[in-house]
Amino acid sequence: TNIKEQLPMIASFKPEVRSTAIDQVRKFLMPGGQGKKKTGALLPALGVQLENSRMTVAAKVMSVPSLITAGVAIPERFSENWAPQIGKSKFSIHPNQANQLKGILFYNGMISKNSAIEVYSLISKYVNSYQSSYRLSEKPFALLDAGKTDREHIAQVQRYFATSQDANVFVLDFVKPKNAADGAYPVVKQMLGKGGYVSQFVSFKTYPHDKPRDERKSDMILRGVARQILQKSGVMLWWAKIPRSLPLPVAFVGVDVYHCPPSYDQEKRKRVRKPSVAAIVVHLVRDANPDSRRIEIFSQTFKQEGGQEFELEAAYRETLSTALKTFNCRPASCVCWRDGIVDGVRYNDEIRGLRAGLAATVGQAQSPVEIAYITCQKRIDNKFFLQNGGSAPPGTQVAAIQGIDPGQMFYLNGRAPPYSTSKPVRFNVIKRDKSLMKVPVSELTWGQMHVYPNWTGSIKVPNVCQMAHKLAELAGNMSDSGDSIEHRRYANKVHFL
């Protein structure tokens, strides 16, 4: 365990160390270096050379966006972790007006029944302390021993839902796998996905909540579980204000494709590539008034040929049209962040599918919905250092680079981890319609990096983009690549966190 905790420091280089190493490497690439015995440089003799200076670029650190929880602003000093502030939120919804979730609890046979009930009661207490529009039953509606093996676990879940058709349920699964990976997880998730049931797994292997060594740590984890239950159910615990120049309602769209690692095929007796999975997440924001905001989200997955990243025009069209019919709303604008795409590929097909899906909205559209289509590139070689060799802080934006139009491309540091050198994401504004020209895309992108429900801090890409990644990975690891997920039943639910 101690080694695992030290891995971030062992496997990464802090900015000062990396900066010094770059200077050392540069000696091997400078002209004339091949003639100096001490440097041992060879590459310049082969025509590979490096200038004797680093590129200096202008950068600005954007301020933390205005974050709101239950109508109360989160102080800027909590910008790196606002979980303590979220825990104080009170939505003041009367219990009679709240949706009562029936908790279905499966627990591993190595966890005692009494311990399982005790941990469930704590989670229920934390969920209900928010006084939100969803409340979890104080006692489990159904309590089931899931055995000690993956096979018993899967069979118990299958038996229960084969006969139960209860509505408004939330499934809690207390697992304790023998190994780090839970073999039953993707199978159980697939079964629940087919029925449209929202669920939350709690690992007693990662931390033994039945016998906690540190009560505070267990409490912190269980409070995080409570937040996830609410957010999966459709409660938006916090949000960031958006630029006033953005026409509302707006549809935020996130797209990513997951390429599942090859797996061994018993019949073919060799490793074969599984299908890839594309995920599209649509989040509708109707107005800028936080007090009246409710989460409206629709997501869908599409099975692709293994390794196929593109050919998504029909997927865009189907997802956008279904989502907007579900919301019963025609947006005034749409901003799409596409993850994982590289330079020089088929943007036009995806933009065409995006426009077609937006055109199929409820009612007769008077004019086309204005769009912005932005790609997010994480696998890049660029890193930015401060002049003193330190790492660029979160919110660092770099756009003023020679030969780059700041309105078409910018780099943005979403995170600055303490044990490694921060790496920016490159954002390319491929398409932006006329009415969105005044929208500060970098500011909007930075704000949306702060509203991912699974992390009380900023992330590397906008919220919907990370959601799409999470959903694509979940579906990609299912045996049917997500084909059986009932996406319509999951409307307005963030079931894939």
Side-chain angles (χ1 to χ4, degrees):
T1 302
N2 290 333
I3 294 177
K4 285 184 179 180
E5 292 176 354
Q6 296 296 318
L7 276 178
M9 291 181 282
I10 298 170
S12 302
F13 294 103
K14 291 186 177 181
E16 296 81 3
V17 176
R18 189 182 292 271
S19 182
T20 302
I22 289 173
D23 288 335
Q24 287 293 109
V25 171
R26 186 163 53 198
K27 294 179 180 179
F28 290 80
L29 302 175
M30 286 173 56
Q34 66 274 23
K36 299 176 183 179
K37 294 182 180 180
K38 290 185 179 180
T39 61
L42 171 65
L43 293 180
L46 302 177
V48 180
Q49 299 181 357
L50 189 70
E51 291 184 4
N52 187 25
S53 63
R54 297 190 188 179
M55 179 183 290
T56 301
V57 296
K60 71 173 183 179
V61 180
M62 291 190 285
S63 59
V64 177
S66 178
L67 300 172
I68 312 293
T69 173
V72 179
I74 298 174
E76 189 172 334
R77 65 180 181 275
F78 294 101
S79 61
E80 293 188 5
N81 179 16
W82 49 83
Q85 295 300 111
I86 298 296
K88 300 175 184 178
S89 301
K90 304 293 181 188
F91 288 83
S92 302
I93 303 295
H94 193 277
N96 293 339
Q97 297 177 320
N99 294 295
Q100 302 294 330
L101 297 173
K102 301 173 184 175
I104 309 297
L105 176 60
F106 295 91
Y107 64 95
N108 185 279
M110 291 184 283
I111 305 168
S112 73
K113 180 179 179 180
N114 288 339
S115 294
I117 294 174
E118 184 178 343
V119 174
Y120 175 93
S121 297
L122 270 176
I123 294 173
S124 172
K125 173 186 172 183
Y126 296 148
V127 168
N128 297 337
S129 69
Y130 286 93
Q131 300 175 18
S132 75
S133 54
Y134 283 88
R135 303 207 175 204
L136 182 63
S137 56
E138 293 181 4
K139 296 181 179 179
F141 179 75
L143 181 66
L144 302 108
D145 185 337
K148 298 180 180 180
T149 66
D150 291 345
R151 182 172 294 181
E152 290 174 311
H153 184 184
I154 294 166
Q156 180 67 286
V157 175
Q158 195 169 29
R159 276 195 300 271
Y160 179 80
F161 286 105
T163 57
S164 173
Q165 299 295 326
D166 295 313
N168 218 32
V169 304
F170 193 100
V171 180
L172 273 163
D173 204 326
F174 293 171
V175 298
K176 197 168 187 177
K178 294 181 180 179
N179 303 314
D182 183 1
Y185 177 81
V187 181
V188 173
K189 276 289 189 181
Q190 182 173 325
M191 287 193 291
L192 296 176
K194 190 174 182 179
Y197 295 108
V198 186
S199 62
Q200 175 68 42
F201 280 58
V202 181
S203 175
F204 281 60
K205 172 79 171 179
T206 304
Y207 198 86
H209 299 287
D210 51 340
K211 302 173 184 177
R213 301 181 299 274
D214 183 347
E215 292 283 354
R216 289 184 61 188
K217 186 172 183 179
S218 177
D219 185 74
M220 180 183 69
I221 294 171
L222 295 180
R223 286 181 183 274
V225 170
R227 290 196 301 271
Q228 283 206 323
I229 290 172
L230 287 173
Q231 290 172 124
K232 285 184 175 184
S233 300
V235 178
M236 186 178 287
L237 290 180
W238 73 89
W239 50 88
K241 286 189 176 180
I242 58 179
R244 292 183 178 181
S245 54
L246 184 64
L248 298 176
V250 58
F252 292 133
V253 180
V255 185
D256 196 15
V257 180
Y258 176 69
H259 304 290
C260 192
S263 59
Y264 186 77
D265 189 306
Q266 294 285 357
E267 295 182 1
K268 297 181 180 179
R269 296 185 178 181
K270 64 178 183 179
R271 291 175 65 83
V272 296
R273 169 169 268 176
K274 288 187 65 178
S276 295
V277 175
I280 301 178
V281 175
V282 183
H283 177 206
L284 182 73
V285 178
R286 291 180 184 263
D287 59 65
N289 182 1
D291 294 329
S292 65
R293 184 168 299 180
R294 58 191 175 91
I295 191 165
E296 291 184 273
I297 194 166
F298 184 83
S299 58
Q300 196 163 348
T301 60
F302 298 86
K303 185 161 66 176
Q304 304 271 92
E305 291 289 334
Q308 183 178 331
E309 179 76 30
F310 311 108
E311 308 297 336
L312 294 177
E313 180 178 345
Y316 274 86
R317 183 172 59 248
E318 180 180 337
T319 306
L320 265 296
S321 61
T322 304
L324 297 178
K325 288 173 183 175
T326 301
F327 303 147
N328 193 26
C329 177
R330 175 184 177 272
S333 61
C334 173
V335 181
C336 176
W337 286 279
R338 170 65 151 98
D339 198 0
I341 206 165
V342 296
D343 293 325
V345 295
R346 313 174 186 89
Y347 304 123
N348 292 335
D349 291 353
E350 298 195 3
I351 293 173
R352 192 162 52 243
L354 185 66
R355 290 195 188 279
L358 291 166
T361 54
V362 178
Q364 296 296 318
Q366 298 299 316
S367 59
V369 177
E370 299 287 281
I371 73 163
Y373 176 89
I374 306 156
T375 62
C376 317
Q377 296 173 315
K378 299 192 295 288
R379 295 184 180 181
I380 57 176
D381 299 324
N382 309 75
K383 286 183 183 289
F384 298 108
F385 298 89
L386 302 178
Q387 289 185 335
N388 63 5
S391 187
T396 300
Q397 179 195 352
V398 175
I401 299 178
Q402 187 176 3
I404 295 178
D405 180 353
Q408 297 299 321
M409 180 191 294
F410 59 92
Y411 294 84
L412 195 53
N413 250 18
R415 298 281 299 155
Y419 301 117
S420 63
T421 307
S422 58
K423 188 175 182 180
V425 175
R426 181 165 62 217
F427 294 92
N428 295 289
V429 185
I430 304 300
K431 181 67 178 177
R432 180 157 46 157
D433 289 337
K434 187 176 180 180
S435 70
L436 302 185
M437 285 297 179
K438 294 182 179 180
V439 176
V441 173
S442 58
E443 179 185 323
L444 174 65
T445 300
W446 172 235
Q448 289 301 303
M449 288 178 174
H450 289 74
V451 291
Y452 180 53
N454 211 17
W455 189 257
T456 51
S458 59
I459 59 174
K460 292 175 70 71
V461 293
N463 172 38
V464 285
C465 215
Q466 185 64 24
M467 283 185 176
H469 171 77
K470 188 77 173 178
L471 175 57
E473 184 177 20
L474 174 67
N477 286 307
M478 294 178 177
S479 62
D480 66 351
S481 302
D483 279 351
S484 59
I485 296 177
E486 282 289 340
H487 298 289
R488 291 176 186 269
R489 292 190 64 176
Y490 281 130
N492 300 326
K493 309 287 183 186
V494 193
H495 67 94
F496 44 80
L497 286 181

